[in-house]
Amino acid sequence: MDNATAVRNATGSATAVRPGEAPAVHAAEIEETDGFHLVIDALKLNGIDTIFAVPGIPITDLARKAQAAGIRVISFRHEQSAGYAASIAGFLTQKPGVCLTVSAPGFLNGLTALANATTNCFPMIQISGSSEREVIDLQQGDYEEMDQLAIAKPLAKAAFRVLHAEDIGVGIARAIRAAVSGRPGGVYLDLPAKLFPQVMDAATGASTLIKVVDPAPRQIPSREAVDRALALLKGAKKPLIILGKGAAYAQEDAAIRALVEKTGIPYLPMSMAKGLLPDTHEQSAAAARSFVLPEADVVVLIGARLNWLLSHGKGKTWGGKSPTAWGGQRYIQIDISPQEADSNVRIDAPVIGDIGSCVSALLAGVGASWPKPPAEWLGAIAERRNRNVAKMAETLAKNPTPMNFHSALNVVRDIVKANPDAYFVNEGANALDFTRSIVDMVKPRKRLDVGTWGVMGIGMGFSIAAAVVGGQQVIAVEGDSAFGFSGMEVETICRYNLPVCVVILNNNGVYRGNEVNPTGGADPHPLGFVKAASYEKLMEAFGGVGVRVTTPAELRAAMDEALRSKRPTLVNALIDEGAGTESGRISNLNPVSKKKS
Ligand code: FYN
Ligand code: ADP
């Protein structure tokens, strides 16, 4: 049918319409719909009420009409931020976050976020417009020509393309199921430009839409798996529970807390699982992390993978410390993905199912006679924890000039403690690592950070999404380098008047800002930025509040006012440019040449 689009009239017979041509109107047609409206109706039918977008060819009118239809359309300055926003909205709500991008370059900009969502197990759908299939496939040089589906496939949990309006309902249903069922992930949905103006009668169109029933069905673990796990756990002398962001995602907070408390087992939260139980909980072993990991004999992983963040269960260490041999632990792993077990070391007792069902099944086997962990184990952890906490308190009490990470974060710690409902976004290297151990979280799913990849650039996208779908104040603590990746989105924050307080820990560079060009040449050092840059003016440029601070007292006053006023605020906290180590706590991953340059 050469360069034409099949459309259907009220009788269901197909006619051909060339691009730009209005479809023939038949007297019998009462009401028509088109591809634009079918996409919107399918999303709405499935409870998708927000889209994170960067409008342009060919999805401009989709964004416009989605807003007109009552979907909240949050329009960004760059697709990567829109994608990060969608992915964290998915994490917070268990509904796929939807990101809308234009073809080729916009698609590629969003793809980093889609890949990051897949890596982090966040449910997200990137819907991208694309160019003419026929021209792309013959590589004839179309506007923004790219075989987007092929490129997205290896980076997404699933990828689909819809060519005909009558398939939109199925396409969106498949995308939703793929994003949220089993292990959640990023899904790509390719919608070529020619799909949107395809017309069909409204009643037929409506009948093609699918409301997905039970999109993330419970998966019940087998009795044998649960019994095997309980038997292993019961015999443990040094048990440890590790809570990962899968546990936070599952929204089974009460069951998880009951399991931890009824067994009396110490637990370690991974970064985004902080607050699942309050960090102040007496069973938290966070402040004894490097002690409990090698020492534990039976480890229960709940929604956490034995990846690099847990040194693959093999005891590689970080931060230049001498290698601590660990390994030989026995593992119980609760996960929805049956393929996760044995990915790094042997898993003795995999418990496969959704976290709620698995934890409840284990809990049912933990009666009043359940043996509490041996006192020596708990005592050794308490001793190590108390020592680390006391050392930390000493460091935080100092008030050096200039301000450093610790004296600034001491203020942030107090303010987060006083505002437990606020979302807390965090990225950087030192700005991430210091903050993670200094700032306690007391509520689940409040701490949102760089996740599995340690990705920089999530800051403003995550902040915007948290404010939009969470409806709460957001505090974002950013390294000055990290902020640069998404800084332009402060315009978006101001445009939507969101209660976001960005705090930049500004030490003039990547890791720190005091290195100089060894050649003595005019170029700055590759890790250095403009000294004492006025980031606060960026927020002022768009009508928000910008504050420049150099002392903890000024930082406290600025943050207090931001949270009181709820206005978009950027606090530029100038700290010691020599503060900060290479790559923060993971310097072992950053090879350094021994040869003098
Ligand atoms: C933790 N700690 C504490 C507390 N909480 N001390 C006192 N009080 C409290 N509340 C201690 C903890 O016991 C550790 O000391 C130390 O602080 C650090 O804790 P952390 O951060 O939990 O542990 P660690 O070893 O750094 O964790 C490893 C890691 C982590 C890989 C999981 O570094 C991480 O999540 N890194 C992400 C890095 C990243 O993605 N960066 C972005 C790219 S940056 P000890 O027990 O004495 O060791 C590009 O360059
Ligand atoms: P962390 O980085 O915090 O350790 P990971 O992202 O490595 O966490 O691990 C999350 C794990 O949680 C993944 O293996 C994923 O399959 C699992 N998961 C996610 N949602 C659920 C769920 N509802 N039930 C069970 N497991 C889940």
Side-chain angles (χ1 to χ4, degrees):
M1 193 190 288
D2 68 8
N3 199 17
T5 304
V7 298
R8 293 179 190 282
N9 64 21
T11 60
S13 60
T15 56
V17 174
R18 285 172 193 286
E21 219 176 50
V25 178
H26 297 267
E29 284 173 339
I30 302 160
E31 202 185 339
E32 285 183 337
T33 188
D34 60 15
F36 290 107
H37 289 90
L38 287 167
V39 171
I40 292 161
D41 291 347
L43 292 173
K44 284 181 73 176
L45 184 66
N46 285 288
I48 307 284
D49 52 15
T50 308
I51 293 177
F52 303 93
V54 178
I57 297 171
I59 46 86
T60 317
D61 213 28
L62 185 62
R64 190 184 280 128
K65 292 207 157 43
Q67 185 179 54
I71 291 182
R72 189 150 192 219
V73 181
I74 308 293
S75 192
F76 284 72
R77 305 302 296 261
H78 192 283
E79 292 86 354
Q80 201 174 96
S81 290
Y84 288 139
S87 69
I88 208 68
F91 171 77
L92 290 171
T93 63
Q94 297 183 324
K95 279 194 301 194
V98 172
C99 165
L100 184 60
T101 58
V102 304
S103 37
F107 154 78
L108 286 173
N109 285 344
L111 205 54
T112 308
L114 188 77
N116 188 61
T118 306
T119 301
N120 281 279
C121 317
F122 297 157
M124 164 186 172
I125 302 173
Q126 181 179 351
I127 298 180
S128 188
S130 58
S131 304
E132 302 296 335
R133 277 254 41 90
E134 294 83 347
V135 186
I136 293 172
D137 289 347
L138 278 170
Q139 298 176 28
Q140 293 173 308
D142 200 6
Y143 169 73
E144 296 189 347
E145 176 179 299
M146 177 173 275
D147 188 355
Q148 296 174 192
L149 186 70
I151 289 165
K153 257 182 193 160
L155 301 173
K157 183 180 169 195
F160 307 99
R161 178 186 292 128
V162 180
L163 292 175
H164 305 292
E166 58 264 39
D167 293 331
I168 286 172
V170 168
I172 291 202
R174 299 214 72 192
I176 290 172
R177 277 199 188 281
V180 296
S181 63
R183 171 182 281 176
V187 175
Y188 177 62
L189 187 61
D190 193 88
L191 303 184
K194 276 206 293 193
L195 177 75
F196 297 112
Q198 288 179 29
V199 177
M200 61 198 298
D201 80 276
T204 310
S207 73
T208 64
L209 302 186
I210 296 174
K211 182 168 169 47
V212 176
V213 176
D214 197 10
R218 284 226 172 262
Q219 288 179 220
I220 314 293
S222 75
R223 188 67 258 160
E224 296 81 353
V226 172
D227 290 345
R228 192 186 299 123
L230 285 168
L232 179 56
L233 193 57
K234 209 164 203 168
K237 298 279 174 290
K238 297 174 175 181
L240 175 70
I241 293 174
I242 298 181
L243 302 174
K245 58 176 138 27
Y249 173 77
Q251 300 195 14
E252 296 286 352
D253 312 335
I256 290 170
R257 186 172 184 146
L259 183 70
V260 171
E261 291 183 341
K262 279 196 173 166
T263 58
I265 297 175
Y267 73 93
L268 201 55
M270 300 300 288
S271 195
M272 281 179 60
K274 277 166 71 76
L276 199 43
L277 282 80
D279 278 339
T280 47
H281 196 285
E282 60 172 13
Q283 285 171 251
S284 171
R289 189 178 202 276
S290 60
F291 172 71
V292 290
L293 283 173
E295 285 292 320
D297 62 353
V298 176
V299 178
V300 186
L301 296 162
I302 307 184
R305 287 169 288 186
L306 275 178
N307 56 17
W308 71 279
L309 291 152
L310 285 166
S311 74
H312 306 280
K314 292 174 185 162
K316 277 192 241 147
T317 53
W318 27 70
K321 286 184 254 168
S322 59
T324 318
W326 57 291
Q329 278 86 3
R330 308 195 73 193
Y331 287 96
I332 297 164
Q333 183 159 31
I334 299 180
D335 206 288
I336 203 148
S337 166
Q339 291 175 43
E340 187 53 39
D342 305 328
S343 57
N344 283 273
V345 297
R346 182 178 59 241
I347 300 298
D348 305 272
V351 183
I352 303 306
D354 69 274
I355 282 170
S357 301
C358 296
V359 169
S360 301
L362 288 178
L363 205 47
V366 177
S369 62
W370 184 265
K372 288 283 177 275
E376 309 90 81
W377 174 232
L378 301 182
I381 295 172
E383 196 209 314
R384 180 63 78 107
R385 187 183 57 210
N386 295 344
R387 206 183 323 145
N388 274 350
V389 168
K391 210 163 73 187
M392 173 82 82
E394 210 176 286
T395 312
L396 292 178
K398 291 184 186 148
N399 191 3
T401 306
M403 182 160 65
N404 63 11
F405 283 105
H406 287 88
S407 55
L409 287 169
N410 189 36
V411 172
V412 175
R413 174 187 167 99
D414 287 349
I415 288 176
V416 170
K417 189 174 176 190
N419 295 277
D421 288 320
Y423 286 96
F424 189 75
V425 174
N426 188 202
E427 63 174 333
N430 293 281
L432 175 89
D433 290 343
F434 285 127
T435 306
R436 185 177 54 248
S437 44
I438 293 172
V439 177
D440 287 336
M441 307 308 300
V442 297
K443 292 203 174 182
R445 292 170 295 284
K446 292 297 184 185
R447 186 184 157 85
L448 310 173
D449 70 25
V450 302
T452 308
W453 263 354
V455 66
M456 297 295 111
I458 48 91
M460 298 306 103
F462 276 18
S463 297
I464 291 165
V468 166
V469 303
Q472 296 287 341
Q473 174 71 44
V474 178
I475 298 168
V477 169
E478 301 271 313
D480 51 339
S481 161
F483 173 74
F485 289 80
S486 68
M488 193 63 200
E489 300 297 344
V490 298
E491 191 274 335
T492 311
I493 293 171
C494 289
R495 188 161 22 102
Y496 288 89
N497 194 24
L498 299 173
V500 176
C501 172
V502 181
V503 177
I504 299 181
L505 298 177
N506 183 1
N507 64 356
N508 298 339
V510 180
Y511 307 134
R512 55 182 183 273
N514 58 356
E515 292 192 66
V516 291
N517 180 342
T519 69
D523 279 352
H525 189 273
L527 302 181
F529 295 146
V530 166
K531 303 264 182 210
S534 299
Y535 292 108
E536 71 280 7
K537 294 200 169 137
L538 197 55
M539 191 61 104
E540 286 171 0
F542 303 111
V545 178
V547 194
R548 185 182 181 88
V549 303
T550 55
T551 65
E554 289 171 354
L555 174 59
R556 191 180 299 273
M559 289 187 75
D560 277 343
E561 177 55 20
L563 269 61
R564 193 203 56 76
S565 72
K566 301 205 162 296
R567 288 185 63 192
T569 301
L570 191 153
V571 185
N572 182 12
L574 288 105
I575 61 168
D576 183 357
E577 67 171 1
T581 55
E582 186 113 343
S583 313
R585 296 271 301 173
I586 52 171
S587 48
N588 65 310
L589 299 179
N590 205 352
V592 178
S593 170
K594 295 218 170 27
K595 188 170 176 290
K596 286 220 179 327
S597 47

